[in-house]
Amino acid sequence: MGRAAEMLGVTPAFLRSLDTARLIVPQRSAGGHRRYSRYQLRLAQRARDLVDEGTPLEAACRIIILEDQLAEAQRINARLRHDRAAPQDPS
């Protein structure tokens, strides 16, 4: 956790608060240390940016979750549009 906090320029307490808010739930090593994926670190960086802009942490977490849901819906829509535009096999 210390290395992740250092990389992001935040405190370990900030990362723990993201875990408590359920924005990111890191894996645990055999020794119980938190291990963050690159995706989780990107989410933590986005949360830090929002908090630095004055957004309360709880609101920042909700914004990030909604942004993530919107991006997923857009990916699904694009795939469906692509599938609909593809020529159909007549057999």
Side-chain angles (χ1 to χ4, degrees), residues 13-30:
F14 180 79
L15 291 177
R16 282 192 296 275
S17 68
L18 297 179
D19 190 359
T20 300
R22 311 299 285 174
L23 178 63
I24 56 175
V25 180
Q27 298 292 317
R28 297 284 183 148
S29 69

Side-chain angles (χ1 to χ4, degrees), residues 74-91:
Q74 289 172 330
R75 282 190 294 274
I76 291 168
N77 284 339
R79 188 179 69 235
L80 291 172
R81 271 191 248 108
H82 177 267
D83 291 350
R84 191 174 2 168
Q88 299 295 319
D89 185 5
S91 54

